[in-house]
Amino acid sequence: MMVMILLMMVEILEGGEGEDHAEIKKEIQEDKAKFLKERDELQNEKKEAQRDSARQRAEMESHDYILQSDGEPSSAQATERRNKIREMMMHAWTGYEKYAWGANELKPIAHTGHSASIFGKSAMGATIVDGMDTLYIMGLHDQYEKARNWIAHEFNFNPTSDISVFEVNIRYIGGLISMYALTKDEMFKNKAAEIAEKLMPAFNTPTGIPFGLINARTGTGRNWGWASGGCSILSEFGSLHLEFSYLSDITGDSKYLDKVQKVRSILKSTEKIDGLYPNYLHPKTGKWGQKHVSLGALGDSYYEYLLKSFILTGGSDTQALEMYREAIEAMERKMKQTSNSGLVFFGDFRGAKVEKKMDHLSCFSGGMFALGSKYINNPEHYLELGAQITETCHKSYENSATKLGPEAFRFEGHGEAVAMRQNEKYYILRPETIESYFVMWRLTKDQKYRDWGWQAVEAIEKNCRVDAGFSGVKDVYASRVVHDDVQQSFFLAETLKYLYLLYSDEDFISLDEWVFNTEAHPLPIRKNLR
């Protein structure tokens, strides 16, 4: 319409005379040319956007959903509960998508993005990368496709400040290679390798023990300022093996495995303290730091990765299994405790004393002991030990007003499996106890683990659900809940995934075919262990 008006004005002025008419005619012709140029540019942009959209649709349609089943359980009750977990995932995801898309995490009450220090200062979509395989496993295909499209075309891992090597490995690399395993989509593998390259300078130390923090732009590594005189942390540098080993498998490049195998060799050869691994090791001297041993914070996933490295390789990594066996035998001798009422727990070992405290983080070990029972001597003992630890952790939930487990709990005086210090009373949507419920259910089929899982679901729904997602709580013993306003990425990656699998058919993501990294990202076992 605008072009027609301009043409009519030009025709009217054709018969005119004088400089004024000529000038006006010139201006109209210039406006016409400008308008036509802008129209053509807009049309070209529209065509390009349509081509991009078609290409992206074709790209996404080319990746088949290769899970052999949807895991639908035979029990009507399990089906109902499983559907509820899927709805919880949708609620958590929708809030993130609406208010924090592309940010690392969501503040579901403030309706904004959030980023913990482990991610640095950059928005790098941690929740998208971390939660995507949960979407895929739950069959939430529309949400998965949007997440995949974001990673393929918008995700740029270029943090501007120091980042945690451990957290990036388990959440980003772990999440991406798990998606590659589930879909065989090369894009995921390539993205994982790009990120791994940015972590590699962290290993440039005299011992090969990596720093805990890396600046991805400069390649400069350092350790946390609070970590025992510049030491690296056992649970961090000892929990890289699964991801780097599998990355070498799928890329054909051994350099990733070489890095973590050197770490393993140092840990194997370094003299232990009564067979125990302290939580701190200096990357320059190779000497232990503080004589503090823990199955919880600072130690936990190192032991998990010894066992799971053996499982991941189909039983060929016998060194890992031997080191696992020696480590848990030493911890049983030195750290296992039984409370006055008969609750079994592992306290932290400091010097010659055992602290009568257990971290929520260490509640994963119920599942670990049970899972490992198949591969070492005295399997009945370790299956029972797994059951005992899981029951202790369940008690910590049962003993709180909210029926949520505290960050740490103690066994002192008349109190058993309860937090006694204010800074131990919070719950940040952690998965470890639920992880043990899942593993124990798969191995024993004891209905109580599904029932305990459902109690946790009801407690999370009652105390953590808010209008735009789920939030941690500051005091699990308080009758009036106060939220911390953070929806952790691991809530989607781990807590909801383990709950979903707890109510799925046992052959769905089978423990005979898959092993989970410490962020609950499943990786395929090289060959089944028989």
Side-chain angles (χ1 to χ4, degrees):
M1 180 64 73
M2 184 64 180
V3 174
M4 292 180 64
I5 294 172
L6 290 169
L7 288 172
M8 290 173 62
M9 291 180 69
V10 170
E11 289 174 0
I12 293 170
L13 291 169
E14 286 291 342
E17 297 178 358
E19 294 181 3
D20 289 344
H21 283 84
E23 187 65 30
I24 293 171
K25 179 181 176 181
K26 180 181 177 183
E27 290 178 2
I28 291 173
Q29 288 174 331
E30 288 175 349
D31 287 342
K32 172 188 171 184
K34 181 179 178 182
F35 178 83
L36 291 172
K37 181 181 177 182
E38 290 176 350
R39 184 194 66 180
D40 290 343
E41 288 176 350
L42 286 171
Q43 288 175 339
N44 289 336
E45 287 177 5
K46 184 177 180 181
K47 289 177 182 178
E48 184 64 30
Q50 290 172 338
R51 283 194 293 269
D52 285 345
S53 178
R55 174 176 55 79
Q56 290 167 12
R57 283 197 303 272
E59 223 178 39
M60 291 186 290
E61 289 167 0
S62 70
H63 302 120
D64 297 330
Y65 297 95
I66 65 174
L67 290 177
Q68 296 302 306
S69 74
D70 63 4
E72 190 72 25
S74 57
S75 160
Q77 182 189 67
T79 298
E80 182 181 355
R81 291 177 173 182
R82 188 174 186 255
N83 289 339
K84 175 59 183 176
I85 307 306
R86 187 189 284 114
E87 184 277 328
M88 292 170 70
M89 180 67 181
M90 277 297 299
H91 182 63
W93 182 261
T94 301
Y96 171 79
E97 186 178 26
K98 182 176 181 179
Y99 296 112
W101 186 252
N104 288 321
E105 292 172 323
L106 167 69
K107 293 176 74 67
I109 297 172
H111 295 175
T112 63
H114 171 264
S115 188
S117 61
I118 55 174
F119 303 118
K121 299 176 182 178
S122 302
M124 301 183 296
T127 294
I128 300 174
V129 182
D130 216 6
M132 185 167 50
D133 60 352
T134 304
L135 295 171
Y136 184 86
I137 287 168
M138 289 184 177
L140 297 171
H141 293 161
D142 290 345
Q143 291 73 25
Y144 160 73
E145 297 288 13
K146 181 173 181 178
R148 186 209 170 274
N149 184 51
W150 183 86
I151 290 174
H153 303 290
E154 298 181 53
F155 177 48
N156 179 24
F157 189 84
N158 192 26
T160 58
S161 57
D162 292 353
I163 51 173
S164 165
V165 173
F166 165 72
E167 297 289 355
V168 168
N169 175 64
I170 65 171
R171 302 195 201 206
Y172 287 88
I173 297 177
L176 291 166
I177 61 177
S178 181
M179 283 312 310
Y180 172 76
L182 289 164
T183 65
K184 295 302 181 284
D185 184 340
E186 293 283 319
M187 181 272 293
F188 292 122
K189 177 180 72 175
N190 295 335
K191 291 283 186 181
E194 288 173 12
I195 295 173
E197 288 298 322
K198 295 186 177 183
L199 299 187
M200 294 293 270
F203 293 86
N204 294 336
T205 66
T207 62
I209 298 293
F211 288 114
L213 297 165
I214 187 72
N215 187 300
R217 289 188 172 182
T218 66
T220 303
R222 66 179 179 89
N223 277 329
W224 300 98
W226 48 264
S228 187
C231 283
S232 298
I233 298 168
L234 181 67
S235 64
E236 295 191 344
F237 68 78
S239 303
L240 306 171
H241 209 104
L242 288 181
E243 297 81 5
F244 275 53
S245 174
Y246 184 63
L247 192 56
S248 280
D249 281 350
I250 61 179
T251 62
D253 193 334
S254 66
K255 66 184 178 183
Y256 307 112
L257 178 59
D258 292 343
K259 292 293 186 185
V260 292
Q261 194 60 51
K262 184 174 181 181
V263 172
R264 167 89 64 75
S265 297
I266 291 169
L267 288 168
K268 171 73 174 173
S269 61
T270 302
E271 185 176 357
K272 318 302 182 294
I273 300 172
D274 294 325
L276 299 173
Y277 291 85
N279 292 333
Y280 300 104
L281 188 68
H282 204 288
K284 294 182 179 179
T285 66
K287 303 294 184 183
W288 298 114
Q290 294 175 7
K291 305 304 186 286
H292 174 207
V293 182
S294 176
L295 191 54
L298 309 178
D300 51 8
S301 50
Y302 167 63
Y303 308 102
E304 176 188 2
Y305 271 40
L306 287 175
L307 172 63
K308 290 183 175 179
S309 292
F310 170 76
I311 297 174
L312 181 72
T313 60
S316 64
D317 190 353
T318 55
Q319 180 191 61
L321 183 65
E322 182 62 18
M323 291 173 70
Y324 169 76
R325 182 188 62 78
E326 292 173 351
I328 63 171
E329 287 178 354
M331 285 191 289
E332 270 209 270
R333 289 195 307 269
K334 297 289 186 179
M335 298 164 59
K336 190 174 84 169
Q337 304 281 298
T338 303
S339 74
N340 293 332
S341 67
L343 295 177
V344 176
F345 66 99
F346 282 77
D348 284 10
F349 187 83
R350 296 179 184 271
K353 295 182 179 180
V354 177
E355 188 177 8
K356 295 185 182 299
K357 173 186 78 91
M358 190 169 176
D359 292 336
H360 192 292
L361 286 167
S362 62
C363 287
F364 85 97
S365 64
M368 180 187 73
F369 289 127
L371 186 64
S373 68
K374 298 191 290 183
Y375 310 116
I376 57 180
N377 294 332
N378 203 356
E380 295 83 4
H381 167 72
Y382 285 105
L383 185 61
E384 176 61 20
L385 179 59
Q388 291 171 332
I389 294 297
T390 304
E391 181 175 5
T392 298
C393 292
H394 170 66
K395 282 289 186 184
S396 76
Y397 277 60
E398 199 173 59
N399 291 343
S400 76
T402 59
K403 303 305 177 187
L404 296 169
E407 181 70 2
F409 45 95
R410 296 176 180 268
F411 303 82
E412 299 171 358
H414 298 294
E416 293 196 354
V418 294
M420 297 181 181
R421 301 177 184 179
Q422 191 59 44
N423 64 355
E424 298 171 346
K425 294 182 179 181
Y426 60 90
Y427 172 72
I428 56 172
L429 306 171
R430 285 204 185 277
E432 290 80 17
T433 299
I434 291 166
E435 176 183 354
S436 286
Y437 295 164
F438 160 66
V439 176
M440 292 304 302
W441 160 255
R442 285 284 179 95
L443 296 181
T444 70
K445 303 302 181 294
D446 190 329
Q447 178 62 29
K448 72 181 180 184
Y449 297 114
R450 278 184 161 177
D451 293 340
W452 289 354
W454 189 246
Q455 291 169 19
V457 169
E458 291 178 323
I460 291 169
E461 278 283 287
K462 179 180 179 181
N463 299 289
C464 302
R465 187 173 183 130
V466 294
D467 73 305
F470 293 86
S471 168
V473 301
K474 294 184 177 182
D475 187 343
V476 298
Y477 302 100
S479 56
R480 179 179 174 275
V481 170
V482 178
H483 294 107
D484 65 9
D485 196 18
V486 178
Q487 180 174 278
Q488 306 279 347
S489 78
F490 56 66
F491 178 66
L492 291 79
E494 300 185 75
T495 309
L496 292 177
K497 184 187 289 122
Y498 282 131
L499 283 168
Y500 187 76
L501 294 175
L502 177 62
Y503 303 109
S504 296
D505 181 81
E506 65 184 81
D507 293 328
F508 185 61
I509 316 293
S510 167
L511 293 179
D512 292 327
E513 298 174 357
W514 299 88
V515 63
F516 293 86
N517 86 335
T518 198
E519 191 76 4
H521 296 305
L523 302 175
I525 295 172
R526 192 173 295 165
K527 61 181 179 181
N528 288 349
L529 295 170
R530 299 297 183 193

